[in-house]
Amino acid sequence: MPHESPTHLIDDALWSRSITHEIASQLSGQTLQLFYGDLSGNTHAAELHVTAFVEKPDADGMKRFSLLFQGPKAPQLPAQTYRTRHPALGDFATFISATGLLPEGYVYEAVFSHAA
């Protein structure tokens, strides 16, 4: 069954909250919850473990970086924006996409860029 991210899971306040370079660099080894809805209107949570913080070359005045996550084998989460929850940071919106599959589960990446 396809997974959808209903608009009620992402409100206007989430768009104003962002993960900064400083915060992202400290998340390795931590667990985040991503919330998604199904076609029946039910909300589910998937736990993703932050496996790496990756520096990207800065470009055009933008600080670029990404976070890599290890997720479960099922379900594979489609590339989209999710309500993401960190126990200390609260909720924010994160766009993730699957980049691979390991025996432990799917690997996801979230890419960020902020004005330097």
Side-chain angles (χ1 to χ4, degrees):
M1 177 183 304
H3 299 285
E4 296 183 354
S5 183
T7 55
H8 72 274
L9 294 178
I10 301 177
D11 54 50
D12 290 341
L14 291 183
W15 295 115
S16 66
R17 303 200 64 218
S18 61
I19 296 296
T20 65
H21 181 271
E22 180 181 352
I23 291 170
S25 69
Q26 299 172 28
L27 291 178
S28 289
Q30 297 188 38
T31 299
L32 304 176
Q33 287 185 301
L34 274 70
F35 296 92
Y36 61 92
D38 63 24
L39 295 176
S40 300
N42 299 313
T43 301
H44 305 276
E47 285 195 351
L48 273 62
H49 304 283
V50 181
T51 58
F53 167 77
V54 181
E55 293 272 3
K56 306 274 187 182
D58 292 349
D60 297 324
M62 300 298 286
K63 187 85 171 151
R64 300 178 335 130
F65 54 94
S66 67
L67 290 172
L68 299 178
F69 304 94
Q70 176 69 56
K73 286 185 179 181
Q76 178 185 2
L77 301 172
Q80 64 185 30
T81 303
Y82 293 88
R83 175 180 282 271
T84 307
R85 181 169 294 152
H86 181 274
L89 301 173
D91 290 7
F92 47 91
T94 307
F95 182 88
I96 65 162
S97 58
T99 60
L101 176 61
L102 298 173
E104 303 82 35
Y106 284 95
V107 177
Y108 297 94
E109 182 178 27
V111 178
F112 301 88
S113 59
H114 297 285

